[in-house]
């Protein structure tokens, strides 16, 4: 399976913060926001990843993530000069996807739960159609909402419904088979001129090949697209890291635990950051495996 991080857009809800820096490079507690969606793909075992962003932001992101080899990954980059909808990622990334299945994650979505690794491993194998992830929310009228039967098969998808049929918001992590490329290419743009991910999902729904996995209780999903939500996400991460003594979305640790790199390589990465508590944590993790 190939991975795509969609980190485009202009971050207008965060102005003036994003006038000079990419939204995905803003801090969520002690690490850049993009580490969180990147860690989701890594936990799924995905090592070949395309980052899509604006021509202005791509050099900044590439300076941070490089070619990914230090993490045992292959990271490449593609430009999206103007926002053209989430589904445009499959057109921009068609060559990257090739004949494989693909996971798309949004660059401002944060996921955390003790079973996240198991959930991902359970769902990334042999994707036939699309797998979406649902999260219970108290204000479903603000989100794309999925209604399912007892087996998790999607019955309907509604975008910001006035009378929601469920409280399951569809979060910014999507798994698709290879048909998604042709589906995206044949979409009719919305009145705003964008290719909507909801239309992709409805196509799979019409084919009877859409499933919604309920993340449920004990899981956290945060959409860090506003100053308030970034602050909330930072507070959530800070409290958990302080109490548990472990780091959320520490990509060096994940690379080590997933077997992408060895302890020696992990220690070198920590040494580069040794002046920070984050770097010292990476070195401590490497020492456990050394």
């Amino acid at each position: 399976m190939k991975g795509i991080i969609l980190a485009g857009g202009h971050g207008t809800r965060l102005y003036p913060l994003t006038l000079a820096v990419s939204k995905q490079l803003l801090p969520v507690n002690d690490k850049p926001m993009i580490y969180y969606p990147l860690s989701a793909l890594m936990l799924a075992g995905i090592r070949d990843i395309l980052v899509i962003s604006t021509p202005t932001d791509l050099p900044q992101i590439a300076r941070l993530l490089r070619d990914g080899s230090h993490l045992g990954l292959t990271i490449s980059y593609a430009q999206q000069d103007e926002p053209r909808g989430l589904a445009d990622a499959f057109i921009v990334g068609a060559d990257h996807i090739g004949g494989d299945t693909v996971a798309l994650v949004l660059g401002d979505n944060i996921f955390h739960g003790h079973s996240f690794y198991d959930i991902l491993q359970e769902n990334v194998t042999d994707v036939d159609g699309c797998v979406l992830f649902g999260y219970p929310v108290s204000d479903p009228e603000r989100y794309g909402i999925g209604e399912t039967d007892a087996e998790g098969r999607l019955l309907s998808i509604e975008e910001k419904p006035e009378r929601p049929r469920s409280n399951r918001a569809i979060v910014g992590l999507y798994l698709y088979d290879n048909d998604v490329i042709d589906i995206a290419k044949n979409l009719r743009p919305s009145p705003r001129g964008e290719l909507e991910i909801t239309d992709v999902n409805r196509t799979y729904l019409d084919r009877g090949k859409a499933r919604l996995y309920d993340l449920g209780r004990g899981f956290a999903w945060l959409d860090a697209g506003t100053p308030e939500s970034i602050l909330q996400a930072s507070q959530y991460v800070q409290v958990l890291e302080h109490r548990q003594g472990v780091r959320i979305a520490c990509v060096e640790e994940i690379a080590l635990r997933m077997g992408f790199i060895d302890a020696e390589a992990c220690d070198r990465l920590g040494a580069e950051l040794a002046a920070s508590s984050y770097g010292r944590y990476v070195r401590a993790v490497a020492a456990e495996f050394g």
Side-chain angles (χ1 to χ4, degrees):
M1 175 173 278
K2 301 290 180 61
I4 295 177
I5 300 175
L6 185 56
H10 300 299
T12 53
R13 291 185 295 167
L14 287 161
Y15 279 178
L17 290 172
T18 49
L19 288 173
V21 65
S22 167
K23 172 175 67 174
Q24 283 75 25
L25 297 181
L26 294 176
V28 175
N29 194 33
D30 60 348
K31 60 191 74 71
M33 186 188 297
I34 200 169
Y35 274 26
Y36 295 86
L38 175 60
S39 69
L41 296 181
M42 293 173 68
L43 287 170
I46 298 170
R47 302 178 69 171
D48 195 348
I49 297 167
L50 176 70
V51 178
I52 300 175
S53 191
T54 67
T56 300
D57 292 340
L58 270 181
Q60 299 174 338
I61 296 172
R63 182 182 177 186
L64 172 69
L65 300 181
R66 295 174 272 177
D67 65 359
S69 59
H70 61 296
L71 297 172
L73 307 175
T74 299
I75 298 179
S76 53
Y77 302 89
Q79 293 185 3
Q80 187 185 55
D81 52 359
E82 290 293 336
R84 292 191 292 270
L86 304 187
D88 184 58
F90 305 113
I91 298 174
V92 174
D95 289 342
H96 167 72
I97 300 168
D100 292 328
T101 55
V102 61
L104 172 68
V105 62
L106 304 187
D108 58 2
N109 273 222
I110 296 170
F111 306 91
H112 179 252
H114 74 278
S115 59
F116 194 33
Y117 169 82
D118 295 328
I119 291 170
L120 291 170
Q121 293 297 317
E122 177 184 342
N123 285 283
V124 296
T125 305
D126 300 324
V127 175
D128 181 18
C130 77
V131 180
L132 310 175
F133 296 90
Y135 185 79
V137 294
S138 59
D139 47 357
E141 66 279 356
R142 295 182 54 228
Y143 301 94
I145 297 297
E147 177 194 14
T148 66
D149 63 16
E151 283 72 41
R153 288 188 295 267
L154 269 175
L155 300 176
S156 68
I157 300 174
E158 302 175 285
E159 191 66 31
K160 298 181 180 178
E162 292 183 5
R163 297 181 179 179
R165 297 180 184 179
S166 87
N167 69 337
R168 271 18 183 205
I170 297 174
V171 306
L173 175 63
Y174 316 86
L175 310 179
Y176 296 101
D177 64 17
N178 196 255
D179 289 348
V180 72
I181 298 173
D182 288 334
I183 290 172
K185 287 180 178 179
N186 288 289
L187 285 182
R188 178 177 298 176
S190 71
R192 296 183 302 172
E194 298 185 353
L195 302 179
E196 303 289 352
I197 199 74
T198 298
D199 292 335
V200 172
N201 298 335
R202 283 182 178 141
T203 300
Y204 280 105
L205 176 62
D206 293 341
R207 295 179 179 182
K209 287 191 171 186
R211 183 163 60 87
L212 185 72
Y213 187 98
D214 188 4
L215 295 173
R217 292 185 176 183
F219 200 92
W221 166 62
L222 300 162
D223 179 355
T226 66
E228 294 80 11
S229 60
I230 290 178
L231 177 59
Q232 290 168 1
S234 294
Q235 291 172 332
Y236 173 85
V237 172
Q238 194 276 334
V239 167
L240 284 182
E241 291 188 345
H242 177 72
R243 294 199 173 196
Q244 297 179 356
V246 297
R247 303 270 171 162
I248 297 171
C250 176
V251 293
E252 295 86 357
E253 178 180 10
I254 293 171
L256 176 59
R257 295 189 182 276
M258 293 294 295
F260 300 166
I261 61 175
D262 59 22
E264 183 179 353
C266 186
D267 184 69
R268 286 197 301 270
L269 293 175
E272 294 175 5
L273 309 170
S276 68
S277 61
Y278 182 93
R280 292 190 291 273
Y281 174 82
V282 172
R283 298 201 77 180
V285 170
E288 291 179 14
F289 281 75

